[in-house]
Amino acid sequence: MKKFIFELEEILNVRAFEQQQAEVELGKALAEEQRIQNQLDNLAMNQIKTQKEMKGSTNFQDIANASQFYTYVRNQKEKLLSELTQAKIITEEKRNILKSAIQKTDALKDLKEQQFYEFKEEAKRREQIEMDNIVTGRFKPKV
């Protein structure tokens, strides 16, 4: 019996590699989003900590420093939110690229499975014909 050969195997391998690369790129984009979100969380925690420390303070220098810190936090927050928005856009693009790569790979995998199924059915049919020929005595030796 001859071996099953999928004619588009090389293309399937390339598509699988592209899918793998798209997964890596999406992972990087998600990591960048998480990094920015962690920075925003740290800013918020520091602001809460400063507010608790400043509660009831009457020292002018401490109040002035806290005010400058709040201005810094506000500016950093705006900057980080802008970066986060850009990162989310990039992540969505990477997600769409991955989705497309998965669809292309799955289409070829489905085609391969269908061809393999047809190959197996044809092999069974040939085997059945050969067995019938042996049983009925019409076996023809191959030259």
Side-chain angles (χ1 to χ4, degrees):
M1 184 166 87
K2 70 180 190 176
K3 182 180 174 186
F4 173 72
I5 298 172
F6 182 56
E7 296 171 355
L8 302 174
E9 189 70 38
E10 289 179 14
I11 295 172
L12 178 60
N13 291 339
V14 169
R15 295 267 170 89
F17 178 75
E18 288 174 351
Q19 178 180 337
Q20 197 174 29
Q21 291 299 104
E23 289 170 353
V24 169
E25 291 298 319
L26 177 59
K28 288 178 183 177
L30 288 170
E32 179 63 16
E33 258 188 60
Q34 188 61 44
R35 182 192 65 78
I36 295 169
Q37 187 61 50
N38 289 343
Q39 287 181 333
L40 282 168
D41 293 345
N42 282 339
L43 276 176
M45 295 300 287
N46 287 336
Q47 185 174 6
I48 291 170
K49 180 182 169 188
T50 302
Q51 286 174 342
K52 285 181 181 178
E53 289 173 357
M54 291 307 301
K55 194 172 194 176
S57 176
T58 56
N59 184 339
F60 179 76
Q61 187 63 34
D62 289 343
I63 294 171
N65 287 340
S67 177
Q68 288 178 343
F69 177 73
Y70 295 147
T71 302
Y72 167 78
V73 167
R74 211 175 12 258
N75 292 337
Q76 281 297 106
K77 183 178 175 183
E78 288 176 16
K79 177 184 167 236
L80 289 172
L81 287 174
S82 175
E83 288 178 16
L84 184 61
T85 302
Q86 290 297 321
K88 286 185 182 271
I89 290 170
I90 291 170
T91 299
E92 192 57 36
E93 290 172 359
K94 301 290 184 185
R95 191 172 278 123
N96 289 335
I97 290 170
L98 176 60
K99 182 180 176 184
S100 174
I102 289 172
Q103 288 173 343
K104 290 176 183 179
T105 303
D106 286 349
L108 280 176
K109 285 180 182 177
D110 291 344
L111 180 61
K112 181 179 180 178
E113 288 175 12
Q114 180 63 31
Q115 286 183 4
F116 184 69
Y117 174 77
E118 291 170 2
F119 173 79
K120 286 289 192 183
E121 290 298 313
E122 179 64 20
K124 285 180 187 177
R125 187 185 66 75
R126 287 179 190 229
E127 187 176 301
Q128 187 64 39
I129 290 172
E130 194 173 313
M131 293 298 272
D132 288 347
N133 287 341
I134 290 172
V135 170
T136 60
R138 296 182 298 176
F139 177 70
K140 298 175 188 173
K142 293 182 182 178
V143 180

